[in-house]
Amino acid sequence: MSSNQKRLISDIIKEFGSQLSSFISGRVNQDEDAQDILQDVWYQLSRLTNMDEIENISAWLYRVARNRITDRYRKKKDNLLEDYACEVEDGVLEIRDILLLDTANDPELALFKKTFWDALLVALNELPESQREVFVLNEIDGVTLREIADRQQEGLKTIISRKGYAVKHLRRRLQGLYNDLNKK
């Protein structure tokens, strides 16, 4: 890379860095994801061999950012419980861990656990049977999506789609509980 190209990239980062970072942060859930995506955009910029061919560098940067955001969410589509966690004194405690904890000596945790399960069961019962079954088998029972597809004699893509719809619905329905957990 020539010194002119390095200087041009540096100028572009100075001019668009803050705005692009805000754009990305507003579209992803975690700061780490936003930083990773921003780094991907800068990497793609540095890989260009002829920046003169780009008519509008701003439009190019935002298009690359949108594509990276989309790619990231496609990869994370199968996550649900892993996405929900809270900070505790010794690090991060995931909801899956909370649900398995002994709550005999912690009435607040027992109340949260009951509230969570009540909300989850209501939300699960709102789902069509096929989506509910795939979600429960995969997330709660630990059965792989491939095994579910084989058991139900369905295509893997069908099972993935059912799980995706279930995850979207549950995320929407449990968002309030997640927000309440993070306020504490």
Side-chain angles (χ1 to χ4, degrees):
M1 181 183 309
S2 71
S3 61
N4 282 345
Q5 190 171 4
K6 287 180 185 177
R7 194 169 32 254
L8 181 58
I9 290 173
S10 178
D11 291 344
I12 291 170
I13 291 172
K14 285 177 189 172
E15 183 177 350
F16 295 104
S18 177
Q19 296 167 352
L20 193 58
S21 179
S22 295
F23 172 81
I24 295 168
S25 294
R27 285 160 178 77
V28 297
N29 295 331
Q30 297 181 343
D31 290 337
E32 296 85 19
D33 289 343
Q35 289 301 316
D36 289 346
I37 291 167
L38 185 60
Q39 289 301 316
D40 286 344
V41 172
W42 298 140
Y43 176 74
Q44 289 299 318
L45 179 67
S46 72
R47 303 272 303 156
L48 289 176
T49 54
N50 192 358
M51 282 195 252
D52 296 334
E53 293 178 4
I54 298 175
E55 289 181 32
N56 184 339
I57 192 70
S58 175
W60 184 89
L61 290 169
Y62 283 90
R63 185 176 64 246
V64 171
R66 278 191 294 278
N67 291 343
R68 293 295 170 258
I69 292 166
T70 301
D71 292 346
R72 174 128 342 212
Y73 281 104
R74 281 185 187 141
K75 288 178 191 172
K76 292 180 85 172
K77 161 166 45 174
D78 285 339
N79 297 339
L80 176 67
L81 295 179
E82 292 84 357
D83 292 345
Y84 294 99
C86 64
E87 289 289 331
V88 291
E89 291 176 18
D90 351 8
V92 174
L93 185 64
E94 293 183 2
I95 285 197
R96 197 177 281 214
D97 298 331
I98 291 170
L99 298 177
L100 299 175
L101 289 177
D102 177 17
T103 59
N105 295 325
D106 190 343
E108 188 176 336
L109 186 56
L111 177 62
F112 171 76
K113 194 172 175 179
K114 179 184 178 341
T115 303
F116 174 81
W117 277 108
D118 290 347
L120 179 62
L121 291 175
V122 167
L124 281 171
N125 284 328
E126 295 169 349
L127 290 170
E129 174 64 28
S130 60
Q131 292 175 16
R132 179 175 49 249
E133 184 178 5
V134 169
F135 180 84
V136 169
L137 285 171
N138 183 247
E139 285 293 336
I140 297 175
D141 296 342
V143 179
T144 68
L145 295 175
R146 168 55 66 198
E147 291 170 332
I148 295 169
D150 291 344
R151 282 184 194 177
Q152 296 181 357
Q153 298 179 339
E154 297 275 0
L156 181 59
K157 288 185 179 186
T158 300
I159 298 303
I160 291 170
S161 177
R162 287 178 185 163
K163 168 114 185 263
Y165 286 122
V167 166
K168 286 177 188 172
H169 173 76
L170 294 171
R171 275 193 179 140
R172 199 170 39 254
R173 292 288 279 125
L174 297 174
Q175 186 65 46
L177 187 60
Y178 173 74
N179 292 341
D180 290 345
L181 176 65
N182 281 325
K183 287 179 187 175
K184 296 182 180 191

